[in-house]
Amino acid sequence: MMRSIPALLCLSLMACPVVGQEILKQWEFNTDGDPEGWLPAHSLAPFVVAGGTLKTRVVGPDPYMHDSAGQAFEIACSDSQYIEVRLRHDDGKGAEFFWADTTEGADAGFVAGKERGFATEPDGQWHVYHVYPLWCGKVTRLRLDPPGEDDAAVEIDYIR
């Protein structure tokens, strides 16, 4: 019995965000009218930053948004890094982040195998989600496929 307690503790600590980890890139959406380089690429409208959040609605199938190629960044990746997003929505149960290390190709660098889905709570309340992509190499762009079905409201406080 004594051996199982430390193992459970170890597993629970591994699932928690690292306290004091450095933020390498962030989008806070604190300036009205400034989406900080994010674009509504498909099935999201309106797409507006106001009152400290990015607000949008799902208006069709396969909604997604991404940071523009002109706002590219470069992060050297490790499997201990995570993406933190604070959002709320009123429909749908899951979202997905894609990452890219190029803007080349039919999907502008966003390809299968470089994505991580995560479960969300469709209760209209704010939640912070930690998404562990387990990526390697480098990342220069992100894409978010927000949760929701047709006409779902989505609001994002920040992405870090």
Side-chain angles (χ1 to χ4, degrees):
M1 186 69 141
M2 291 296 273
R3 289 186 179 187
S4 65
I5 293 171
L8 291 174
L9 178 60
C10 181
L11 290 174
S12 68
L13 289 175
M14 288 175 54
C16 296
V18 177
V19 176
Q21 188 170 16
E22 178 184 5
I23 297 172
L24 301 176
K25 183 70 178 167
Q26 62 188 353
W27 297 270
E28 297 291 329
F29 308 116
N30 288 330
T31 303
D32 287 357
D34 182 6
E36 299 181 37
W38 284 85
L39 304 169
H42 193 264
S43 297
L44 296 171
F47 193 83
V48 63
V49 174
T53 63
L54 188 153
K55 299 165 180 58
T56 192
R57 292 194 82 79
V58 175
V59 295
D62 193 25
Y64 63 93
M65 57 189 262
H66 60 76
D67 62 325
S68 68
Q71 299 289 324
F73 55 91
E74 187 168 323
I75 294 174
C77 298
S78 78
D79 60 4
S80 65
Q81 295 168 332
Y82 60 90
I83 303 166
E84 181 177 280
V85 59
R86 183 171 186 255
L87 65 83
R88 65 180 172 184
H89 64 99
D90 61 8
D91 189 30
K93 294 183 180 171
E96 193 168 35
F97 273 106
F98 283 78
W99 60 91
D101 59 7
T102 182
T103 58
E104 303 300 316
D107 294 319
F110 298 115
V111 296
K114 292 185 177 184
E115 81 280 341
R116 180 73 62 207
F118 59 102
T120 60
E121 296 293 329
D123 59 9
Q125 303 298 310
W126 287 107
H127 296 277
V128 175
Y129 301 99
H130 296 101
V131 182
Y132 288 84
L134 302 175
W135 49 28
C136 60
K138 69 177 181 176
V139 169
T140 59
R141 301 183 62 212
L142 285 178
R143 169 181 147 175
L144 173 60
D145 293 22
E149 304 290 325
D150 203 20
D151 202 37
V154 178
E155 191 170 0
I156 302 168
D157 184 22
Y158 61 77
I159 301 170
R160 300 177 179 151

